Amino acid sequence: AQSVTQLGSHVSVSEGALVLLRCNYSSSVPPYLFWYVQYPNQGLQLLLKYTTGATLVKGINGFEAEFKKSETSFHLTKPSAHMSDAAEYFCAVSDGNTDKLIFGTGTRLQVFP
Amino acid sequence: EPEVTQTPSHQVTQMGQEVILRCVPISNHLYFYWYRQILGQKVEFLVSFYNNEISEKSEIFDDQFSVERPDGSNFTLKIRSTKLEDSAMYFCASNEVSSYNEQFFGPGTRLTVL
C-alpha cells in the first residue's frame, strides 16, 4: 500500500530564508508525486507534480522539488521565503493505476519578518 | 480561471440527520472525487466517480455515504445518518483526464455533527 510521511507538522523560517519541507513516500510501483498548498479558508492548490522524466520539478511561486528514488523522497524547497508563503503544504502520492491521491498529514509553514 | 465550488461552506447538523454536500466541478472535467479531512488528521480519499458511476471507494465510504451527479453540473455527497465522527472538512475535486493529471480542489465544506 502507498503512504506518505511528512516530517515536521510545523516549520518556521524567517523571510528570505530557505524553505525545506520534507516528504517521504512508500510505493511498490513508480509513483506520481504531488505537492499541494492550502491557504486559509481555501481549497488545495497544486504547486507541482512529478510523473515521469526530469527528477527536478519546478512549480509555481518559486517552489521546486526533487524526486529521489533511492531515498524515496520528494522534498519541497524554495530558496527565499516570502511572507505570502505561509500556508499548509501537503505531499501526495498516486500510483497511476488508480487516480486517488494518498496525502501526508501536512506541514504548516510560518514565515517571520 | 475556472474553479471547483462547494456549498455550503459550513454545515451544522444533529447526529442521525441526513446531509447533502454539493459541489460544482469544472465544466469540462469528467472525473470527480470526494476527500475528507478530520481536524488535525490527513486528507483521506473517499470516492471517485466517472461516467455516472463510482470507479473506486475507500473503506470509509460505507453504506451511509452515496454520491450522485443529478444534473450536468452538480456532484453531491450524501450522508444518510450522520455520526459524530463524520465531523470533518469535505473536499470535492475534479480533473479532465484520469491518472496523474492535476486534480482541482474546491474550498471545502466544514461539516459539524452535534
Side-chain angles (χ1 to χ4, degrees):
Chain A
Q2 295 176 304
S3 66
V4 174
T5 302
Q6 289 185 243
L7 291 176
S9 58
H10 289 83
V11 170
S12 298
V13 300
S14 298
E15 193 172 21
L18 171 72
V19 175
L20 170 61
L21 305 183
R22 298 179 186 275
C23 172
N24 288 88
Y25 69 91
S26 171
S27 178
S28 58
V29 297
Y32 299 137
L33 295 158
F34 306 82
W35 274 101
Y36 280 85
V37 60
Q38 184 181 30
Y39 299 103
N41 301 315
Q42 295 187 29
L44 300 168
Q45 180 185 5
L46 184 70
L47 273 179
L48 48 79
K49 65 184 180 188
Y50 168 79
T51 53
T52 58
T55 56
L56 181 62
V57 180
K58 294 187 186 299
I60 62 171
N61 302 337
F63 284 93
E64 61 182 39
E66 186 170 10
F67 170 59
K68 292 187 176 180
K69 184 179 177 181
S70 61
E71 299 177 7
T72 60
S73 69
F74 191 57
H75 302 330
L76 182 71
T77 60
K78 182 174 180 177
S80 176
H82 193 271
M83 297 294 290
S84 61
D85 294 327
E88 184 110 24
Y89 292 80
F90 294 93
C91 183
V93 64
S94 167
D95 68 6
N97 292 322
T98 75
D99 47 6
K100 70 182 180 188
L101 296 174
I102 307 297
F103 284 87
T105 50
T107 298
R108 182 166 297 279
L109 176 66
Q110 286 186 301
V111 182
F112 293 100
Chain B
E1 185 175 331
E3 58 183 16
V4 177
T5 60
Q6 290 185 243
T7 54
S9 57
H10 192 188
Q11 173 91 46
V12 181
T13 189
Q14 296 290 325
M15 190 170 57
Q17 294 296 303
E18 174 184 287
V19 294
I20 297 176
L21 310 183
R22 301 180 191 280
C23 168
V24 179
I26 294 172
S27 62
N28 63 334
H29 285 188
L30 302 176
Y31 296 83
F32 314 112
Y33 312 84
W34 284 100
Y35 293 82
R36 78 172 186 191
Q37 184 181 30
I38 295 172
L39 189 63
Q41 298 184 26
K42 61 177 66 178
V43 177
E44 302 172 290
F45 168 79
L46 291 178
V47 66
S48 58
F49 190 87
Y50 168 70
N51 199 26
N52 279 322
E53 60 183 29
I54 291 173
S55 45
E56 186 175 0
K57 60 183 181 180
S58 73
E59 56 194 31
I60 301 169
F61 195 88
D62 61 21
D63 292 344
Q64 292 299 313
F65 291 87
S66 62
V67 289
E68 192 179 26
R69 189 152 164 82
D71 52 42
S73 60
N74 288 283
F75 180 50
T76 62
L77 174 69
K78 182 194 289 187
I79 308 175
R80 265 181 266 282
S81 177
T82 50
K83 308 185 189 86
L84 295 176
E85 53 265 37
D86 293 328
S87 295
M89 181 72 89
Y90 288 81
F91 293 105
C92 174
S94 68
N95 69 7
E96 189 175 3
V97 180
S98 184
S99 193
Y100 53 79
N101 281 27
E102 174 182 354
Q103 292 185 20
F104 291 78
F105 282 78
T109 293
R110 179 163 297 286
L111 176 65
T112 302
V113 182
L114 302 176

